[in-house]
Amino acid sequence: MRKFLILFLLLLTSSAYADDGMMDLDYEFIDNAFSKPNPATNKQFEEVMKRYENKEPHGFFYNIRKFFNKNNPAFDKDFKTKYENSNNQPARLKDVPQSKPTITIGANFYDSKGNILEAGHYQTEYKKEGETYTIVLLQGNTRVADIKAALCEDDWETPAVVYARTVGIRQNLIKVVYSNLDITIQGYIRLK
């Protein structure tokens, strides 16, 4: 019975304090909070966004981290602005064709000059001399093979801007397709 009385007194006193705390609320503000909005103008919005966007961190510890991570692109502001826009995409579409797509050839093969090459991963680019086209296979900066190529219309199976891919034609014949913004060319290699 004593427990019941203590519990009853606690509940009674807590409800009395709760009622006192609710009396100082401004009920008129609650009822009319959104009746007279004060909208921000575009100029005010842009000023606030400029203050918080592209804000360079500063401080002693940040400067120490920046000093010890000199070669990290996250701390190099010029690197970020040169190669990225806000969506982490290349800054200019002209920079995209300079990338060299990679193809994988799974067996030893002959290039257009009859040289035998090993299976592997090859970067591709193209070369135009007069009216003839050549797909150049590279490993690093070393030119490994040249494949004679001709202009073609691709079937747009690949959603990239610059790409290269291989298509099996027969048991020992593979078509290499190279495409960029300017042209689409194809050449053939024979497997050993």
Side-chain angles (χ1 to χ4, degrees):
M1 181 73 176
R2 189 172 20 158
K3 291 181 186 178
F4 177 73
L5 277 174
I6 292 173
L7 228 124
F8 180 71
L9 287 174
L10 284 173
L11 287 174
L12 187 64
T13 57
S14 66
S15 65
Y17 285 116
D19 288 340
D20 289 340
M22 297 294 286
M23 296 306 287
D24 62 348
L25 285 177
D26 185 6
Y27 290 106
E28 187 175 322
F29 173 75
I30 292 174
D31 292 338
N32 300 320
F34 299 105
S35 63
K36 299 176 186 171
N38 186 7
T41 63
N42 287 341
K43 183 178 178 184
Q44 292 170 334
F45 177 76
E46 291 299 325
E47 288 173 0
V48 171
M49 290 306 292
K50 283 180 186 176
R51 255 190 285 159
Y52 291 106
E53 266 182 1
N54 303 327
K55 188 175 181 182
E56 171 116 12
H58 54 79
F60 179 71
F61 292 110
Y62 178 78
N63 290 336
I64 289 174
R65 280 182 42 208
K66 186 176 179 179
F67 176 76
F68 286 112
N69 293 311
K70 292 177 196 172
N71 299 327
N72 188 346
F75 292 98
D76 190 357
K77 196 170 188 178
D78 294 332
F79 179 82
K80 281 184 174 181
T81 57
K82 184 176 179 183
Y83 292 105
E84 293 181 353
N85 65 11
S86 59
N87 297 327
N88 293 330
Q89 298 295 324
R92 300 179 317 199
L93 196 57
K94 291 181 181 179
D95 295 338
V96 174
Q98 294 176 3
S99 65
K100 298 174 184 171
T102 305
I103 60 171
T104 303
I105 300 174
N108 294 345
F109 64 97
Y110 296 99
D111 67 353
S112 295
K113 296 178 181 174
N115 301 329
I116 297 176
L117 298 160
E118 293 183 6
H121 303 281
Y122 296 94
Q123 288 181 319
T124 58
E125 63 182 12
Y126 84 100
K127 182 176 73 171
K128 179 181 178 185
E129 294 176 353
E131 292 297 316
T132 60
Y133 294 96
T134 306
I135 297 175
V136 180
L137 300 181
L138 305 164
Q139 285 190 328
N141 291 331
T142 307
R143 185 183 202 150
V144 178
D146 294 335
I147 302 170
K148 292 180 184 175
L151 288 170
C152 70
E153 296 248 348
D154 199 19
D155 53 4
W156 305 99
E157 288 181 11
T158 307
V161 175
V162 177
Y163 65 91
R165 62 186 171 95
T166 57
V167 180
I169 302 297
R170 282 185 277 173
Q171 185 176 358
N172 63 349
L173 188 66
I174 292 180
K175 176 170 66 170
V176 178
V177 178
Y178 175 85
S179 180
N180 65 16
L181 290 172
D182 300 325
I183 63 165
T184 301
I185 55 176
Q186 68 181 4
Y188 294 92
I189 58 174
R190 209 168 21 99
L191 299 179
K192 183 176 177 184

